[in-house]
Amino acid sequence: MRMRLVYVIAMVVFFIIYKVLDPLGLESATKQTSAGLFNALTTPFYGAQSPDTHRHVAVVEVNDASLKRFGTAFPLSYARHIAILNQILDAHPAAIFVDFRMMRELPGETLESFAPLIARAHSMKVPLLFARGEAGDQQPALPPILRPLQVYSNGLETSGSYPLMEEGMETRETGEAPVAVNPAWALYNTLCHQAWSTRCGDVQEEAFTRPMVIRWGLSSDPAQDIVSDQSGYWQNSCAIWNEGPCARLTAASRLALTYLFLHSRGSERQFAFYPLVIGAEQLGHSGRGTPSGSPALATLLADRAVFYGSDIRDQHDDSIVPLLGRVPGVVTHAMAFDNLVTYGARYFHEPPEMGQIGWLRLDKAELLEALIWLVCSVALVMRMKPAQQKEQFDVLAALGAQNNYKHHARTSIRKRAVACALGAFLIVAIPSFQSATRAMLIDQFVIWLFVTFLFLGAWALPMARAARAEEEEKQRGLLSQLCFLASLSAIGFALNEAGPRWPNADWIGLLLLWLAAGVEEEEERNRFVQPLCRLLNRVIDLPVSIYSAGRRALSRHA
């Protein structure tokens, strides 16, 4: 009993060291790598449940080609910005966000020149917002002409999350509503209370306070083909055969395998962005391959939220996204907005915080992980020892019951196989119950077969080994252990998709930690935990040893 208790304590200490103290950034590095793996698995399926997935948002960017076409350098003049924004307004967009921070007058120009543009947007009932900069950096407000339209434009945080709202000190003291720190939420909230009220439904600000974990998409907008040449992007080379479409399941499989084993090498090709991206110099031109006299590309912006910004490498307005690489900040804002339109209040987000102990902040995900770890540790040490199992089997064999046991094992295998198939069906059905489409049936069937295989390897394979062996062997081999961990990942992923929608990367670190620390055979405890068990035993025995040594010393003096 004491050895079991010591082992549970050692496992808890091991969890605290790895998950809380994070030595050498092992936990942080695991989360970052796991985020890339989950991006590989989920990006091909983003937007598959809706035929209108590419009709919500678009990006108009100023890039190197724009500067060359305009014959100017960066930054652009206010007159050029106004001309581009007027072209966007001509297309009757749903809303516009300007991701350029316009703080000062330029030589020969004044910010008052934006007044006619602002009046036009107001008369068209098109929300128009301007970037103020990041919240929390004591950014001054924009000049008076733009101040009523300003909004913060925070980028991705170091954890990879995208903040939507933030409560500053002034809001805590006055009790005012949280301040929007990003244009994605600002535009979404504005549109949902105006032009898109029927599309969004009832939007409550309290449901959007947690930072977003952006789900990235891989399937680029179909209209992108007439905007720019897509042949050089990864999406056009991911099919198994040289010709043919890039199926979602094929893309997910190739990305996952590549990232799992070759993620350090990176991809030779860039990924096309999910939102529609049009260069500012292209707005007045017809599309590629379209007949003469076709409408200008600006018409594609109709009824979309347009994010107008830059994609110039030396401006450093970008972020590194696991799997996708460098993503311009304006595309990040557009993708976050698309997540809000796609998921609403069910967007993927960071878990709520429970409290803070000194420098340590605790959230619900970490507390849930700790509870699962404790329960699994207790269950692990309560298992029978192999020596006890062998002794029990020898008694049964001596009574002539070995054949009956093997028959029972074979019967149990069939029952477990049926249970694994049903369990895999539930795991596949739970996340896609409300968004299942006919186009996804084949992919879901293949995923069901794969998850069934994992379940069989995790729970039926040990029993099959026992049925074939001369003695009972229920401990997991290497293949069964890997299938077991993959099965737990699938279960956690499905429950998270249907439930809290927290970062999936958190669970991978927990599973890898269990693979390193968890051993089913008590006499074969692994080298990570065993030294800690010995140390705890010595600490427990120390008072007794000191007491015994003291008594012996006193007896000698007496």
Side-chain angles (χ1 to χ4, degrees):
M1 183 64 185
R2 169 180 163 174
M3 292 301 298
R4 291 181 174 182
L5 179 61
V6 169
Y7 191 73
V8 171
I9 296 175
M11 292 287 283
V12 172
V13 173
F14 193 71
F15 175 86
I16 294 175
I17 293 175
Y18 179 82
K19 296 287 290 185
V20 179
L21 300 181
D22 193 15
L24 300 177
L26 295 176
E27 166 71 355
S28 302
T30 300
K31 285 186 176 181
Q32 183 177 5
T33 305
S34 302
L37 177 60
F38 275 106
N39 278 348
L41 291 171
T42 58
T43 50
F45 297 97
Y46 178 84
Q49 69 276 12
S50 173
D52 299 329
T53 181
H54 284 106
R55 300 180 183 178
H56 310 309
V57 66
V59 173
V60 175
E61 64 178 20
V62 175
N63 49 36
D64 291 325
S66 306
L67 299 180
K68 183 177 180 181
R69 184 62 178 268
F70 297 148
T72 185
F74 193 84
L76 299 182
S77 65
Y78 289 157
R80 179 66 67 180
H81 281 305
I82 293 172
I84 294 173
L85 290 170
N86 273 313
Q87 282 184 292
I88 296 174
L89 281 175
D90 290 340
H92 297 279
I96 302 174
F97 167 68
V98 181
D99 197 17
F100 294 99
R101 189 162 172 261
M102 302 178 183
M103 282 294 302
R104 298 174 180 85
E105 307 288 342
L106 295 180
E109 292 188 307
T110 174
L111 287 171
E112 293 297 329
S113 58
F114 280 91
L117 174 74
I118 296 172
R120 184 188 178 197
H122 180 73
S123 65
M124 295 175 62
K125 298 183 179 179
V126 175
L128 176 62
L129 300 178
F130 289 82
R132 174 179 176 178
E134 291 196 3
D137 289 341
Q138 298 181 347
Q139 296 281 6
L142 295 182
I145 185 67
L146 303 178
R147 191 167 301 168
L149 309 175
Q150 68 182 5
V151 62
Y152 288 116
S153 55
N154 288 30
L156 294 178
E157 296 182 341
T158 54
S159 62
S161 60
Y162 180 89
L164 299 179
M165 291 185 284
E166 181 177 283
E167 287 187 292
M169 293 303 297
E170 66 277 1
T171 60
R172 292 192 184 98
E173 294 174 358
T174 61
E176 297 177 0
V179 177
V181 296
N182 263 312
W185 163 250
L187 282 188
Y188 177 76
N189 188 37
T190 301
L191 286 173
C192 287
H193 285 90
Q194 296 179 11
W196 288 6
S197 57
T198 57
R199 185 183 306 183
C200 301
D202 185 21
V203 175
Q204 301 293 331
E205 292 187 356
E206 296 78 9
F208 296 87
T209 55
R210 298 304 304 160
M212 173 188 292
V213 178
I214 298 178
R215 276 292 175 93
W216 298 90
L218 193 66
S219 176
S220 58
D221 194 304
Q224 194 68 49
D225 287 329
I226 66 173
V227 176
S228 58
D229 183 13
Q230 299 292 292
S231 60
Y233 291 106
W234 186 91
Q235 287 90 328
N236 290 278
S237 63
C238 75
I240 298 177
W241 297 277
N242 292 333
E243 296 184 1
C246 179
R248 296 180 188 272
L249 189 59
T250 303
S253 302
R254 288 194 59 179
L255 285 174
L257 290 175
T258 302
Y259 198 86
L260 189 61
F261 298 106
L262 301 173
H263 70 276
S264 59
R265 293 176 55 184
S267 176
E268 297 179 356
R269 294 193 174 193
Q270 292 183 341
F271 293 90
F273 298 129
Y274 186 85
L276 176 66
V277 179
I278 304 177
E281 80 285 0
Q282 297 177 286
L283 292 176
H285 296 80
S286 300
R288 297 173 61 252
T290 57
S292 178
S294 297
L297 291 175
T299 58
L300 297 174
L301 306 178
D303 199 33
R304 298 180 189 236
V306 177
F307 289 77
Y308 170 52
S310 65
D311 182 11
I312 301 175
R313 184 67 63 94
D314 59 6
Q315 294 301 308
H316 306 293
D317 184 17
D318 49 38
S319 303
I320 301 299
V321 176
L323 178 71
L324 300 181
R326 190 188 73 89
V327 177
V330 66
V331 176
T332 300
H333 294 313
M335 198 67 219
F337 176 85
D338 198 82
N339 273 241
L340 290 172
V341 177
T342 301
Y343 299 120
R346 291 273 298 150
Y347 70 97
F348 291 83
H349 58 276
E350 292 287 347
E353 292 184 357
M354 298 292 293
Q356 184 170 352
I357 303 176
W359 54 268
L360 179 62
R361 291 190 175 187
L362 300 176
D363 57 46
K364 289 185 177 180
E366 291 173 339
L367 292 178
L368 181 58
E369 289 178 24
L371 179 61
I372 294 174
W373 183 267
L374 179 60
V375 172
C376 292
S377 300
V378 173
L380 180 65
V381 300
M382 296 304 293
R383 295 177 63 90
M384 283 185 174
K385 300 178 183 179
Q388 292 175 324
Q389 293 177 351
K390 187 176 185 305
E391 180 181 352
Q392 179 185 15
F393 186 79
D394 290 341
V395 173
L396 293 175
L399 296 175
Q402 184 174 0
N403 292 332
N404 291 334
Y405 170 75
K406 289 188 174 182
H407 173 73
H408 172 73
R410 295 189 186 99
T411 305
S412 179
I413 291 173
R414 290 192 290 269
K415 293 180 179 179
R416 290 192 179 198
V418 174
C420 287
L422 293 176
F425 174 78
L426 292 176
I427 291 302
V428 175
I430 287 175
S432 57
F433 176 74
Q434 295 180 346
S435 58
T437 60
R438 289 185 178 181
M440 291 287 295
L441 289 180
I442 296 179
D443 289 346
Q444 290 172 344
F445 176 74
V446 176
I447 295 173
W448 171 75
L449 289 178
F450 178 72
V451 176
T452 300
F453 171 77
L454 292 180
F455 282 14
L456 290 174
W459 286 286
L461 183 59
M463 185 61 68
R465 291 178 57 193
R468 292 193 305 267
E470 295 299 327
E471 62 183 28
E472 186 180 6
E473 295 181 2
K474 288 187 179 180
Q475 60 268 24
R476 303 183 188 276
L478 177 61
L479 177 60
S480 180
Q481 185 77 346
L482 293 176
C483 290
F484 178 70
L485 292 178
S487 299
L488 292 183
S489 299
I491 293 173
F493 178 81
L495 295 178
N496 187 53
E497 293 283 313
R501 296 201 166 187
W502 297 337
N504 284 299
D506 291 351
W507 306 104
I508 293 295
L510 185 67
L511 293 176
L512 292 178
L513 182 61
W514 185 259
L515 177 63
V519 178
E520 295 184 6
E521 297 81 11
E522 186 173 349
E523 63 268 22
E524 296 180 8
R525 288 169 181 159
N526 75 55
R527 298 176 182 177
F528 288 102
V529 180
Q530 187 64 27
L532 190 55
C533 289
R534 293 173 182 169
L535 176 62
L536 290 174
N537 276 314
R538 290 175 182 175
V539 172
I540 294 174
D541 292 336
L542 182 61
V544 178
S545 301
I546 294 175
Y547 176 73
S548 299
R551 289 194 60 181
R552 287 196 298 269
L554 291 175
S555 62
R556 290 195 191 102
H557 288 297

